[in-house]
């Protein structure tokens, strides 16, 4: 019998993992090394390390082109980009956000004492349910932040319609959605602005980094001032600002990553199709789908485990994979509303978030990207098939341990 075809070969029993080295979710994709090193040499030669450098400017114009927007403003990371955009839009009071997102989405509001009001999701799309948004609007509400979770666009049109009708600002956290499209249009141009993340764990990285995309000239000018302390020229500060600038090293990485963008996406797509094929027909284990008519980056390989049907719990499956050095992750477990400070502020939030609660118990994200090979995927899937086929027996044995 080959490895992991019977439960006796599983590492939770043998202590011998299938992979000698850990396989991580979000292991960075590295672009063209030579072109990156060349740019680094140039940065050092010219001694221009940050502040509207050549590479930051070039990167911004390439990004704007790709996202099909008038302005793309690079930042040191997406969290600061969200904070600055929230402030530039004049958000205050309450803002409606999903809880099924990375903690930076509500934190970027709470950090400036704006209350995130958590909205439940549509279990089919994993994105904020626009039918639940209006009932959360109060006289204090100033805006909505939609999140394109997994790079799958959220309900852009319904949210745009609600925002327009109720006089609210609309921002999108597009941290997952660089290179994706909605109805054939690049993510970046929807709402008042959209924010990308280029963090090391995202499929396209600048070490740390982010950008704000917008078609609003006035907003863009304001954001540019705010990310540079409010400086409008030497010795002239016209605004309350902070420091959100991207360094030249990050911009150089971005330009080199851009040269490999299509390749990253092609690898992710290939991995996705391979995983889907290897895991097809497993009871209670679904691989989320992407709309093939749109551009997707396929950066997240997301399993949804229906414990009523599968013979194994999501958490036991994760434990088994961790034993094999496959560091599968529960995203966005347990939901932002169960993390601090929100759990203390809104101890009953879960009662209004049944779909979020359920999904946070079902999702398991697997490693993908250029660091994962076809044979890695075959092995990971073999482990999952064995675990699912013998779930009850494994639980029993572990219970008896
Ligand atoms: C990664 C991420 C962020 C934060 O991005 P950073 O660049 O790490 O600050 C925000 N929102 C979502 C949904 C993310 O996944």
């Amino acid at each position: 019998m080959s490895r992991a075809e019977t439960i006796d070969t599983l590492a939770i029993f043998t202590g011998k993992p299938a992979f000698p080295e850990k396989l991580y979710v979000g292991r960075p994709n590295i672009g063209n090394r030579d072109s990156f090193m060349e740019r680094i040499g140039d940065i050092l030669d010219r001694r221009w390390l940050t502040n509207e450098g050549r590479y930051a400017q070039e990167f911004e114009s390439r990004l704007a082109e790709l996202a099909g927007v008038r302005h793309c403003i690079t930042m040191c990371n997406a969290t600061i980009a969200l904070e600055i955009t929230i402030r530039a839009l004049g958000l205050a009071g309450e803002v409606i956000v999903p809880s099924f997102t990375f903690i930076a989405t509500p934190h970027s509001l709470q950090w400036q004492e704006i209350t995130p009001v958590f909205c439940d999701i549509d279990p089919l799309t994993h994105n904020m349910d626009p039918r639940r948004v209006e009932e959360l609007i109060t006289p204090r509400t100033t805006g909505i932040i939609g999140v394109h979770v997994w790079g799958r666009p959220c309900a852009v049109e319904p949210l745009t319609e609600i925002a327009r009708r109720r006089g609210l600002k609309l921002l999108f956290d597009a941290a997952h959605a660089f290179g994706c499209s909605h109805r054939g249009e690049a993510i970046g141009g929807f709402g008042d602005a959209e924010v990308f993340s280029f963090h090391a764990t995202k499929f396209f990285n600048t070490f740390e980094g982010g950008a704000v995309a917008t078609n609003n000239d006035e907003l863009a000018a304001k954001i540019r001032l705010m990310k540079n302390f409010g400086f409008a020229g030497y010795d002239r500060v016209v605004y309350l600002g902070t420091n959100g600038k991207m360094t030249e090293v990050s911009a150089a990485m971005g330009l080199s990553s851009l040269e490999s963008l299509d390749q990253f996406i092609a690898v992710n797509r290939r991995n996705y199709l391979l995983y889907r094929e290897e895991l097809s027909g497993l009871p209670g284990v679904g691989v989320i789908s992407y709309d093939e008519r749109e551009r997707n980056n396929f950066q997240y390989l997301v399993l949804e485990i229906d414990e009523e049907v599968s013979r194994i719990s999501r958490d036991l499956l994760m434990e088994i994979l961790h034993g094999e050095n496959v560091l599968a992750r529960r995203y966005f477990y347990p939901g932002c509303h169960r993390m601090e400070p929100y759990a203390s502020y809104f101890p009953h939030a879960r009662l209004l978030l049944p779909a979020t609660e359920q999904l946070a118990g079902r999702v398991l994200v697997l490693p993908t990207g250029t660091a994962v090979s076809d044979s890695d995927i075959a092995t990971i899937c073999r482990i999952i098939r064995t675990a699912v086929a013998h779930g009850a027996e494994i639980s029993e044995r572990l219970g008896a341990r």
Side-chain angles (χ1 to χ4, degrees), residues 84 87-88 112 222-231 237-243:
I84 291 176
R87 195 177 270 261
Q112 30 203 351
K222 209 162 161 183
I223 290 171
R224 279 196 189 285
L225 283 173
M226 284 183 161
K227 80 168 227 195
N228 189 27
F229 312 100
F231 272 113
V237 172
V238 298
Y239 237 88
L240 171 63
T242 182
N243 183 356

Side-chain angles (χ1 to χ4, degrees), residues 17-333:
F19 294 95
E21 310 247 346
K22 290 185 167 61
L23 286 181
Y24 293 97
V25 170
R27 184 116 191 262
N29 292 322
I30 308 296
N32 186 327
R33 218 175 258 252
D34 292 340
S35 81
F36 174 66
M37 294 313 285
E38 210 172 288
R39 288 183 176 108
I40 295 301
D42 181 54
I43 289 167
L44 298 180
D45 288 346
R46 287 188 300 107
R47 298 185 187 236
W48 194 298
L49 309 185
T50 185
N51 288 13
E52 292 296 298
R54 175 186 296 178
Y55 292 119
Q57 289 183 36
E58 187 183 338
F59 186 41
E60 286 190 346
S61 61
R62 295 288 319 279
L63 289 174
E65 209 175 292
L66 275 171
V69 289
R70 292 165 60 85
H71 308 280
C72 212
I73 304 144
T74 53
M75 299 258 185
C76 53
N77 62 59
T79 306
I80 295 289
L82 283 168
E83 285 173 12
I84 291 176
T85 309
I86 284 164
R87 195 177 270 261
L89 284 169
L91 298 185
E94 297 174 0
V95 171
I96 298 167
V97 288
S99 174
F100 193 74
T101 180
F102 182 60
I103 196 70
T105 320
H107 272 6
S108 60
L109 292 163
Q110 191 64 54
W111 188 252
Q112 30 203 351
E113 296 183 16
I114 301 165
T115 302
V117 173
F118 293 121
C119 181
D120 210 4
I121 51 166
D122 178 339
L124 291 179
T125 65
H126 300 186
N127 282 321
M128 190 152 68
D129 187 346
R131 293 165 302 186
R132 299 266 83 86
V133 169
E134 276 205 272
E135 63 205 41
L136 300 173
I137 297 175
T138 75
R140 280 169 48 79
T141 309
T142 56
I144 301 170
I145 302 182
V147 183
H148 306 305
V149 173
W150 318 132
R152 301 191 301 183
C154 63
V156 169
E157 285 73 23
L159 292 177
T160 304
E161 191 276 322
I162 294 168
R164 191 167 297 153
R165 187 159 41 76
R166 305 295 297 260
L168 303 174
K169 300 289 186 196
L170 179 60
L171 172 60
F172 290 106
D173 178 340
H176 294 186
F178 184 62
C180 299
S181 71
H182 173 63
R183 300 195 175 170
E185 249 183 82
I187 293 291
F190 298 105
D192 291 298
E194 302 206 58
V195 172
F196 296 120
S197 171
F198 309 131
H199 183 255
T201 53
K202 305 302 201 276
F203 87 106
F204 172 96
N205 85 85
T206 60
F207 294 91
E208 291 259 8
V212 183
T214 181
N215 286 312
N216 181 329
D217 300 346
E218 207 180 314
L219 181 68
K222 209 162 161 183
I223 290 171
R224 279 196 189 285
L225 283 173
M226 284 183 161
K227 80 168 227 195
N228 189 27
F229 312 100
F231 272 113
Y234 285 122
D235 310 324
R236 209 162 78 84
V237 172
V238 298
Y239 237 88
L240 171 63
T242 182
N243 183 356
K245 297 187 302 295
M246 173 179 274
T247 70
E248 285 290 272
V249 171
S250 287
M253 183 68 166
L255 287 165
S256 299
S257 297
L258 274 184
E259 291 163 16
S260 306
L261 182 68
D262 293 341
Q263 186 223 332
F264 294 160
I265 293 176
V267 169
N268 285 345
R269 180 180 148 79
R270 194 183 134 81
N271 288 352
Y272 169 77
L273 293 173
L274 204 55
Y275 266 116
R276 210 178 54 177
E277 188 183 307
E278 293 266 358
L279 296 174
S280 71
L282 268 188
V285 178
V287 180
I288 65 155
S289 61
Y290 292 96
D291 186 341
E292 289 287 336
R293 296 163 303 182
E294 303 288 352
R295 271 178 290 136
N296 298 292
N297 58 36
F298 299 95
Q299 71 173 311
Y300 293 101
L301 196 296
V302 184
L303 297 187
E304 221 182 308
I305 315 290
D306 179 355
E307 296 185 0
E308 311 249 300
V309 182
S310 67
R311 300 182 195 97
I312 192 162
S313 72
R314 187 269 311 262
D315 289 353
L316 178 53
L317 181 57
M318 182 177 74
E319 194 190 329
I320 290 168
L321 287 166
H322 284 191
E324 307 290 352
N325 273 342
V326 178
L327 296 194
R329 296 279 310 274
R330 301 178 290 193
Y331 274 46
F332 295 99
Y333 180 82

